[in-house]
Amino acid sequence: MEAFDLTLIWAFIIGFGVIMYVLMDGFDLGVGILFPFAPSEEDRDTMMNSVAPVWDGNETWLVLGGAGLLAAFPLVYSILLPALYIGVFLMLSGLIFRGIAFEFRFKARTSRYLWNWAFAGGSTVAAFAQGIVVGTYIQGYDTANGVFVGGALDWLTPFTVLTGFGLLAGYALLGSTWLIMKTEGRLQEWAYKLTLPLLAAVLIVFGIISVWTPFIDDMVRDRWFSNLSIIWVLPALTLLCAFQIFRSVRNRSEGMPFVATMGLFITAYLGLIVSRWPYLIPPDYTLWDAASAYNSQLFLLLGLLVVIPFVLMYTAWTYWVFRGKVRAGEGYH
């Protein structure tokens, strides 16, 4: 019973870390995705300055979630990494390129255009790779005796490509609503114009994925269509968030589009969890099948419960210090 309880606690912590990463690193990946289309080089400076103080702290959640996953559910790594070597490599490569671009672009002169493409390309590749990882999780893995037995390119299917493009559009939506909140003038107006087309793209892709997913997995189909009165609250809330984005953009609200976009991601994320619960490695292994020993979970949990409050505090302090609008010519660098 004790191990059962710890496994659920770890599942909550890792799930919390994942959604924190998606929300907090998602908007600065979105800014990078939109980077090549900005009206001017000065606007690109402002876009990068809007995320420069927080982007590296946002990625703390990726490290925290990855380390926690290895500690609490080691079976995930032994199956997930062989199944997704190429996808994970692409994601990490994209994150490295955009991280380097943050540091070098502000100092470059004749080579600045190269760092523009490094920032935009790294952000796009990382976001697309993350979408493919999500799609692969939804469609499941070929396993036998706790080992991945599929092919090296099993992660590359029409469905995972669609989820990759869906997350690209979603992160771009987060990026545009972030720019609405953090900028003003021409750049803000440009972000307003982008937001509704991006919202439409996200809803179209989410709709296709929602229709496609039940045909991939019988369990998902049974889960959704046997609990119509309960589970379908989540897509209703997703549509409500989408309507709020639409209304707040039409009303030229500045903060609400970003908040509503985060709500859209949270409800979609909860829908994914509900669809697969309690399978951590679908379709064969549950949380408890993949969990590490109870003593290992307890030892690492005590340390993590000390670390997480400090991460939350410095994250909140950073956003408080750098609150307000980012204007042309101003910035962290």
Side-chain angles (χ1 to χ4, degrees), residues 18-29:
V18 169
I19 192 59
M20 286 293 288
Y21 171 75
V22 168
L23 293 178
M24 300 182 71
D25 205 37
F27 70 78
D28 61 60
L29 284 170

Side-chain angles (χ1 to χ4, degrees), residues 21 25-34 95 98 122-123 126-127 130 171:
Y21 171 75
D25 205 37
F27 70 78
D28 61 60
L29 284 170
V31 168
I33 293 166
L34 299 175
L95 293 175
R98 67 188 297 273
S123 300
Q130 289 176 20
Y171 280 171

Side-chain angles (χ1 to χ4, degrees), residues 18-174:
V18 169
I19 192 59
M20 286 293 288
Y21 171 75
V22 168
L23 293 178
M24 300 182 71
D25 205 37
F27 70 78
D28 61 60
L29 284 170
V31 168
I33 293 166
L34 299 175
F35 207 63
F37 311 105
S40 70
E41 193 67 17
E42 182 182 56
D43 291 323
R44 292 189 186 95
D45 291 342
T46 305
M47 291 169 69
M48 187 172 274
N49 279 323
S50 74
V51 296
V54 298
W55 75 273
D56 43 359
N58 292 343
E59 293 192 349
T60 301
W61 296 101
L62 179 63
V63 177
L64 191 65
L69 191 64
L70 176 61
F73 303 104
L75 184 63
V76 173
Y77 271 73
S78 66
I79 292 176
L80 185 144
L81 285 183
L84 293 169
Y85 271 136
I86 299 175
V88 172
F89 172 79
L90 289 173
M91 181 188 73
L92 295 177
S93 298
L95 293 175
I96 290 169
F97 267 94
R98 67 188 297 273
I100 295 171
F102 264 111
E103 302 303 324
F104 282 87
R105 181 184 175 275
F106 287 105
K107 300 174 178 62
R109 293 295 178 264
T110 58
S111 62
R112 175 169 286 200
Y113 73 98
L114 295 175
W115 297 115
N116 286 345
W117 284 110
F119 180 60
S123 300
T124 302
V125 168
F128 186 73
Q130 289 176 20
I132 283 181
V133 169
V134 172
T136 306
Y137 172 75
I138 294 173
Q139 71 181 14
Y141 307 87
D142 292 328
T143 61
N145 301 318
V147 177
F148 176 69
V149 295
L153 294 178
D154 282 5
W155 56 272
L156 188 61
T157 67
F159 181 78
T160 61
V161 170
L162 180 64
T163 58
F165 281 115
L167 199 59
L168 270 178
Y171 280 171
L173 179 62
L174 272 172

Side-chain angles (χ1 to χ4, degrees), residues 106-279:
F106 287 105
K107 300 174 178 62
R109 293 295 178 264
T110 58
S111 62
R112 175 169 286 200
Y113 73 98
L114 295 175
W115 297 115
N116 286 345
W117 284 110
F119 180 60
S123 300
T124 302
V125 168
F128 186 73
Q130 289 176 20
I132 283 181
V133 169
V134 172
T136 306
Y137 172 75
I138 294 173
Q139 71 181 14
Y141 307 87
D142 292 328
T143 61
N145 301 318
V147 177
F148 176 69
V149 295
L153 294 178
D154 282 5
W155 56 272
L156 188 61
T157 67
F159 181 78
T160 61
V161 170
L162 180 64
T163 58
F165 281 115
L167 199 59
L168 270 178
Y171 280 171
L173 179 62
L174 272 172
S176 68
T177 54
W178 169 262
L179 292 174
I180 288 172
M181 183 173 66
K182 295 293 289 183
T183 64
E184 56 188 10
R186 177 182 61 184
L187 182 56
Q188 185 188 57
E189 189 61 31
W190 175 74
Y192 272 124
K193 291 179 181 178
L194 287 177
T195 297
L196 293 184
L198 287 171
L199 175 62
V202 169
L203 292 178
I204 289 170
V205 174
F206 277 14
I208 296 172
I209 291 172
S210 299
V211 172
W212 196 339
T213 300
F215 292 98
I216 293 176
D217 193 300
D218 293 337
M219 186 196 77
V220 173
R221 182 171 63 249
D222 294 341
R223 180 73 53 86
W224 279 92
F225 291 99
S226 63
N227 296 277
L228 295 180
S229 60
I230 301 173
I231 292 180
W232 285 78
V233 170
L234 293 173
L237 290 175
T238 300
L239 292 176
L240 181 63
C241 290
F243 175 73
Q244 185 62 35
I245 296 169
F246 174 80
R247 186 174 68 173
S248 58
V249 168
R250 294 292 296 271
N251 293 335
R252 286 300 191 263
S253 172
E254 295 190 338
M256 183 53 66
F258 184 66
V259 173
T261 303
M262 289 197 295
L264 187 150
F265 266 83
I266 291 170
T267 54
Y269 177 69
L270 291 175
L272 175 61
I273 291 176
V274 168
S275 299
R276 282 302 191 182
W277 182 266
Y279 288 91

